Amino acid sequence: MTRLSCLWLTSAVLAAPLLIDPAIAGDSGTTFQSVAIGDCAAAKGTVCLTAPLVSGAPTTALDVLSDIYPGLGPDGAGKRFAGAEAVEAASDPEAGEPADRAVNIATNDSAEIAVVEAGTKAYAAAMSNGVVTVAEVKPAYRPLGRLLVDTDPGEPTYGYRLLLAAPSSPVVVTVSSHFNSEEGFDSFHLVGVVKDELVDLYDGPYLYSFAQATEQCEILDHRENVAVFETVAAAGRDLADVAIIIDYAATCTNGDATQPVDKKSFPIRLTFEGARYDGVSSALDDFNAKFTE
């Protein structure tokens, strides 16, 4: 691994969300945690597969993940696979039946889950193998659908945030990150529950970062990160607006000395238009086009 790649990966790990917090519409929601198997009470930053997700309801991560993997057992293993292949088969009559295979989220098939509470109700979103599923988990378990959200076949897709855009409308933000030499690409995607159905809501934003050596800098690092990703109340709309701010920073590193070179911010406001979110990201896209074209 080159020094530039190491710096990029270190930055990506430090920027990753770690904790789940209670949330309501109008804030930055909750983050995803890894699903752990067995005795995981002492494991921080994880959700136990068979433990209740919220107080006052018996629903577990196993219940939610069973919407992706029917037949999944408390040991995280199952014999029937109904992930991406099943989602594709459901949308394409000519795709045929998905092939069964062994699945084990303790070893080969990692899974994540996030929970958000809305008054007397709570919702959970689970991610595994490029598929997201959402369910109401309090007061009783009720599946709300699953979708294939994998946008980068070269790298896995992760859960980024679980927002609450309305009391009965959780919105899942996923991100696919791809690293290519000294370049980094982050592709975000929104899906959410509208009228009790999980649907696609928005593709984007798309972030681009890279590092290069120049005459003035041993490493000139161009970095884009999410500064804000939250719901914002909007009067008269079914779903709250989503406010996003992407921060760009360029830094020059020579030896142990690092100096800021440039910084910019790109605000994006997503507005629900009856079926999907719509927003203008042209300023960010045009800025990145200068580096990629």
Side-chain angles (χ1 to χ4, degrees):
M1 178 182 293
T2 67
R3 181 184 177 189
L4 297 182
S5 297
C6 182
L7 285 172
W8 167 258
L9 290 174
T10 300
S11 175
V13 170
L14 292 176
L18 297 175
L19 300 175
I20 288 178
D21 302 306
I24 59 173
D27 67 9
S28 59
T30 66
T31 55
F32 281 73
Q33 292 183 333
S34 297
V35 175
I37 312 301
D39 184 11
C40 58
K44 295 183 178 179
T46 63
V47 175
C48 293
L49 179 67
T50 56
L53 290 171
V54 294
S55 60
T59 304
T60 67
L62 177 59
D63 295 320
V64 183
L65 281 167
S66 293
D67 292 337
I68 301 177
Y69 304 115
L72 188 69
D75 60 351
K79 294 298 182 183
R80 181 182 174 193
F81 177 65
E85 289 96 333
V87 174
E88 291 173 340
S91 61
D92 182 3
E94 297 182 0
E97 291 296 321
D100 290 348
R101 73 165 176 83
V103 58
N104 192 328
I105 64 173
T107 55
N108 303 322
D109 305 282
S110 63
E112 316 170 273
I113 200 161
V115 179
V116 64
E117 297 191 55
T120 60
K121 293 186 176 184
Y123 300 91
M127 274 285 311
S128 185
N129 274 310
V131 176
V132 62
T133 185
V134 178
E136 183 179 302
V137 297
K138 185 180 179 181
Y141 178 72
R142 183 168 64 101
L144 296 168
R146 65 187 181 192
L147 288 172
L148 180 64
V149 295
D150 195 2
T151 60
D152 188 343
E155 298 290 340
T157 298
Y158 296 99
Y160 179 75
R161 290 280 179 180
L162 177 58
L163 306 172
L164 193 60
S168 59
S169 294
V171 171
V172 184
V173 183
T174 66
V175 58
S176 297
S177 298
H178 179 71
F179 306 103
N180 178 22
S181 184
E182 278 69 54
E183 294 180 300
F185 305 86
D186 294 303
S187 173
F188 288 84
H189 187 74
L190 276 70
V191 300
V193 177
V194 180
K195 298 179 181 178
D196 286 339
E197 182 182 3
L198 185 63
V199 295
D200 277 304
L201 290 176
Y202 185 79
D203 294 321
Y206 303 99
L207 280 60
Y208 176 68
S209 301
F210 71 100
Q212 61 183 153
T214 68
E215 292 183 0
Q216 294 77 25
C217 308
E218 293 178 9
I219 302 175
L220 179 58
D221 188 54
H222 303 265
R223 184 78 47 191
E224 291 180 357
N225 290 305
V226 174
V228 173
F229 213 125
E230 63 186 16
T231 55
V232 180
R237 296 192 183 277
D238 296 330
L239 270 63
D241 289 359
V242 177
I244 307 169
I245 297 178
I246 306 301
D247 280 350
Y248 162 82
T251 56
C252 176
T253 299
N254 289 301
D256 295 330
T258 300
Q259 180 179 0
V261 175
D262 191 16
K263 62 179 181 180
K264 300 179 185 295
S265 287
F266 299 91
I268 302 169
R269 181 120 174 176
L270 306 184
T271 302
F272 186 67
E273 300 293 346
R276 287 175 57 91
Y277 277 105
D278 189 21
V280 178
S281 61
S282 55
L284 175 65
D285 297 337
D286 291 346
F287 178 76
N288 287 335
K290 296 187 297 183
F291 299 116
T292 58
E293 290 182 349

